[in-house]
Amino acid sequence: MAVQSTSSSDTAAALRFVMAVEQHTESTLLSDELRSQLQAGTAMVWEHQAAGRTMGWAVAVAHGEGWSTEVVALLPSATEQLLLDVIVSARTAGARNVRWWTHVADPSLGGIAGTLGFSLDRRLLQLRVDLPLTGDDHPADDPHPVQAATRPFRPGDDDEAWLVTNNTAFAWHGEQGGWTLTQFRRRCSEPWFDSADLLVLDAPLTSDGGLAGFCWTKQHADLAPMVGEIYIIAVHPSLAGRGLGRALTTAGLNHLYLAGARQGMLYVDETNRPAVAMYRRLGFITHHTDVSYLMKLEAP
Ligand SMILES: CC(C)(COP(=O)(O)OP(=O)(O)OC[C@H]1O[C@@H](n2cnc3c(N)ncnc32)[C@H](O)[C@@H]1OP(=O)(O)O)[C@@H](O)C(=O)NCCC(=O)NCCS
């Protein structure tokens, strides 16, 4: 059994391993949240070796009453063993559940989840659309705005207003809601962050000082042709249904197109009906689905 570690040499080794496998498979295997915590040294890691060779790493962070984990491994057997290690550690630490996120379409993962006693939790769609956008089928006399007067985010000045709108709009969301300023600022200190890519909308005014909405974009310049992501988007709930979400999405995609992206990409919960409907209407189609599995734990 692998031993849980938080040492900086182990977290650095885990990150190197993940990046090597990602480069080899040309895919993203770790979520931004776990990658960010790994870089910040706040994640727990487990290594699995066979015949003296590293076969995989599990990364986990505490999230509320439970733990969230992701595994990057070369073989299904290594994935299974690493998950067992995480579960044992989580149970010992008194966690109430373990949520396992998977980012590849590998049929063996569902089998491992079933064997270990996980149940299906969430399905996250990755949607894509070719740029420039041509699929917006709204009529010319549409009363909703198709353009939003966005401006770039001002670090420091806009932090609190961003947080109000993010946490209000995502109050129902386990991972995107309930952010702290520290969490937000840590994300803004990532090497890829550029305040010009975070478009904010000031008007109409909200009563709680939150932004009317925002569209945070991210450029994946490592992919050719470049893919532009709608990273996080939200409209203040008091202003929902006025066309601002569509206008912000369009503004974000135009921004990405002008930056060189020829495909727009985003992740959305399959059950987020307003958002999925909005994206489909703009021409987005499903590229693949990330799946999370949940295991409830009893006290040790
Ligand atoms: C998704 C979100 C940005 C939409 O913003 P919005 O300003 O309310 O949406 P719009 O008024 O621009 O509506 C655009 C389209 O969304 C769809 N839509 C909006 N609200 C909907 C609802 N309650 N049910 C079903 N579809 C809905 C419609 O297809 C609408 O198209 P239409 O213009 O033909 O009516 C907003 O609901 C939000 O911030 N949600 C919380 C955060 C979130 O889920 N972000 C997306 C994560 S990927």
Side-chain angles (χ1 to χ4, degrees):
M1 183 186 145
V3 180
Q4 172 188 338
S5 168
T6 50
S7 83
S8 55
S9 60
D10 283 344
T11 52
L15 193 57
R16 276 199 306 276
F17 180 86
V18 169
M19 287 168 70
V21 180
E22 285 184 328
Q23 200 171 19
H24 186 68
T25 57
E26 295 183 346
S27 48
T28 303
L29 301 174
L30 204 61
S31 66
D32 272 6
E33 180 59 25
L34 263 68
R35 192 184 304 269
S36 166
Q37 296 222 27
L38 202 51
Q39 280 159 344
T42 51
M44 303 166 270
V45 294
W46 294 254
E47 180 183 17
H48 181 71
Q49 290 196 352
R53 188 172 163 225
T54 301
M55 298 304 286
W57 285 89
V59 185
V61 293
H63 189 85
E65 294 187 324
W67 282 17
S68 186
T69 189
E70 291 168 36
V71 176
V72 177
L74 303 182
L75 288 174
S77 56
T79 300
E80 187 168 336
Q81 184 55 52
L82 284 162
L83 284 168
L84 274 170
D85 295 340
V86 173
I87 293 162
V88 169
S89 300
R91 189 174 276 129
T92 308
R96 302 290 295 273
N97 59 62
V98 173
R99 177 172 278 111
W100 170 37
W101 271 106
T102 65
H103 304 287
V104 282
D106 177 349
S108 74
L109 300 179
I112 293 173
T115 306
L116 295 178
F118 280 95
S119 50
L120 186 64
D121 176 40
R122 280 170 55 198
R123 288 168 55 83
L124 193 64
L125 308 177
Q126 192 198 94
L127 305 183
R128 294 204 184 193
V129 67
D130 287 337
L131 298 179
L133 204 58
T134 53
D136 190 351
D137 60 0
H138 285 76
D141 60 352
D142 188 334
H144 286 152
V146 284
Q147 302 233 317
T150 59
R151 64 166 174 84
F153 179 79
R154 287 192 290 260
D157 293 351
D158 291 330
D159 296 13
E160 306 270 359
W162 181 90
L163 202 64
V164 167
T165 295
N166 180 76
N167 287 352
T168 316
F170 284 104
W172 51 276
H173 194 285
E175 284 142 12
Q176 191 54 45
W179 272 33
T180 60
L181 261 186
T182 312
Q183 200 172 358
F184 174 57
R185 287 180 176 151
R186 191 171 60 220
R187 202 58 70 89
C188 293
S189 66
E190 299 277 353
W192 54 263
F193 178 75
D194 183 341
S195 56
D197 292 335
L198 173 40
L199 309 180
V200 307
L201 191 61
D202 293 309
L205 289 178
T206 59
S207 59
D208 56 10
L211 297 167
F214 64 86
C215 180
W216 189 344
T217 65
K218 182 177 177 185
Q219 297 172 28
H220 294 268
D222 50 324
L223 301 176
M226 187 176 108
V227 173
E229 180 176 356
I230 303 246
Y231 186 56
I232 311 176
I233 182 169
V235 168
H236 193 286
S238 65
L239 301 171
R242 300 183 184 198
L244 298 179
R246 179 159 56 90
L248 275 167
T249 310
T250 308
L253 292 173
N254 284 342
H255 171 78
L256 290 164
Y257 175 68
L258 293 175
R262 292 299 171 261
Q263 258 203 334
M265 179 268 274
L266 55 84
Y267 290 93
V268 60
D269 264 283
E270 195 175 49
T271 54
N272 187 347
R273 294 188 57 190
V276 172
M278 179 174 81
Y279 299 137
R280 297 262 186 241
R281 191 110 197 241
L282 287 169
F284 279 88
I285 55 170
T286 303
H287 181 267
H288 72 265
T289 307
D290 286 359
V291 180
S292 77
Y293 300 94
L294 185 68
M295 180 184 292
K296 298 219 163 83
L297 299 177
E298 285 133 33

